Amino acid sequence: MNTEHATAVAPLAPGTTRSSQYDAFHAARARTDLVARLYAEAMGEDYPAEVAASSSCDWPLLGLMAARLRMSPGQLLVDAGCGTGGIGLWLARALAVRLDGFDLSPVAVAQAAARRSHFLAARADRAVFRVAELENTGLPTAHAHGIVCVDALGRAADRGAALRELGRALTPGGRLLVTRALRRGAEPAWHQQVAAAGLAQEHLDERPQEPAVWERLYRLWIAHGDDLRRELGQAAAEAMLHEAHQVLPTLPRRRAVLLTLRRLPRTPDSPETAARMAELSHPPGRPASIERTPQ
């Protein structure tokens, strides 16, 4: 589950890896359509069934990301924390770009690779998927023309380091799109992280429907707890139910956004670039404060 607020999950058992819980979830989900049916019920007509993401990705978000990326055919898109690959593959097809997707879970990466021909047909070789972490992507510097990171940044051990790593991989002028969440009424605390990554905030798009979607989905998970245990297995189901019970009470205070961040063409060491980043990332008169998220 690569949701940003999926950090409210059961503690890892001794001897397990960071990817173990995600491996179990994706392996279990591949055996049944129950989880997909619950996502579809929660999202209604906004559910992109072909994408089948384990995140808050809906039709409005897909359209918004395609518009905000402003990519040209043949450029390289990175899907950071790609899960089973549906978001990146949909965008790669829609924008006629190449795709490099990575995720913490080897099981999810294998499933993503298996989906390439469905989305890209004869051009399946234009997409690659591999195991990597947000803080250590393995991408060359100034390599990607666009990066999307949907509901995954909250899983990073160090969000600032993850943003710096993703920013490093962007070409000058390239854009990084990140879904973020904070407590309603609080000022975001990502301005300094954005500037430190050599990025500038270009757009901040509100996603007012997102908290209600998660509320409906979590209530469905709880209502279908026995079905989840039977079809996914005890461990995967209990992890989902733990997340639902932990995050559900926080949703009325949740504000969800899509951040569009741009790599500036000059080096971040330049004084005028630093001043420009500060101006774009933290508008005058808006004091910084602690970011509050359900994580």
Side-chain angles (χ1 to χ4, degrees):
M1 297 164 288
N2 67 335
T3 63
E4 184 178 6
H5 42 275
T7 51
V9 291
L12 289 176
T16 60
T17 65
R18 287 181 61 197
S19 70
S20 297
Q21 182 171 294
Y22 300 101
D23 290 339
F25 171 78
H26 290 299
R29 182 172 176 177
R31 298 193 298 266
T32 174
D33 67 350
L34 174 60
V35 176
R37 286 190 282 111
L38 296 181
Y39 270 92
E41 185 174 345
M43 290 188 179
E45 63 181 10
D46 283 339
Y47 180 63
E50 183 185 29
V51 171
S54 303
S55 69
S56 63
C57 180
D58 54 16
W59 280 121
L61 180 62
L62 283 171
L64 183 58
M65 289 193 297
R68 291 298 189 214
L69 282 167
R70 298 179 178 270
M71 295 182 68
S72 299
Q75 291 185 326
L76 178 66
L77 172 68
V78 169
D79 187 356
C82 64
T84 58
I87 295 172
L89 286 166
W90 189 93
L91 288 168
R93 182 179 63 191
L95 300 174
V97 296
R98 295 173 292 121
L99 177 66
D100 185 334
F102 68 85
D103 195 87
L104 185 68
S105 166
V107 172
V109 165
Q111 293 176 2
R115 303 176 73 189
R116 291 178 298 178
S117 60
H118 169 79
F119 284 88
L120 303 177
R123 297 186 175 182
D125 60 351
R126 293 168 63 89
V128 296
F129 293 96
R130 56 199 172 76
V131 177
E133 300 189 11
L134 292 173
E135 302 94 332
N136 184 20
T137 66
L139 293 167
T141 298
H143 182 61
H145 301 93
I147 301 176
V148 295
C149 184
V150 177
D151 293 357
L153 191 62
R155 294 302 303 182
D158 183 333
R159 295 181 205 171
L163 272 180
R164 291 193 297 274
E165 172 68 1
L166 295 175
R168 179 193 62 77
L170 272 178
T171 61
R175 293 175 173 88
L176 164 62
L177 275 55
V178 184
T179 56
R180 294 304 305 267
L182 67 159
R183 189 179 62 185
R184 192 175 299 279
E187 287 292 333
W190 53 66
H191 299 301
Q192 290 182 339
Q193 293 176 343
V194 167
L199 304 170
Q201 181 177 307
E202 189 173 55
H203 297 286
L204 178 67
D205 292 293
E206 301 285 342
R207 302 182 63 211
Q209 78 285 355
E210 192 254 26
V213 167
W214 281 112
E215 180 175 0
R216 291 193 295 271
L217 182 63
Y218 285 145
R219 293 193 185 283
L220 284 168
W221 286 4
I222 293 168
H224 291 268
D226 290 341
D227 297 329
L228 289 170
R229 294 184 185 95
R230 181 175 61 254
E231 298 198 28
L232 299 182
Q234 188 74 16
E238 291 303 331
M240 292 172 65
L241 294 171
H242 179 83
E243 177 187 327
H245 284 293
Q246 288 292 104
V247 180
L248 191 56
T250 73
L251 293 177
R253 304 186 301 277
R254 179 181 175 88
R255 175 190 173 203
V257 301
L258 176 69
L259 277 174
T260 299
L261 309 175
R262 193 172 188 187
R263 182 76 175 175
L264 297 180
R266 295 177 65 95
T267 64
D269 295 332
S270 164
E272 58 191 274
T273 300
R276 180 62 175 153
M277 285 192 296
E279 177 186 344
L280 289 175
S281 297
H282 194 187
R286 297 188 64 182
S289 65
I290 302 300
E291 180 182 7
R292 304 293 184 183
T293 75
Q295 298 164 28

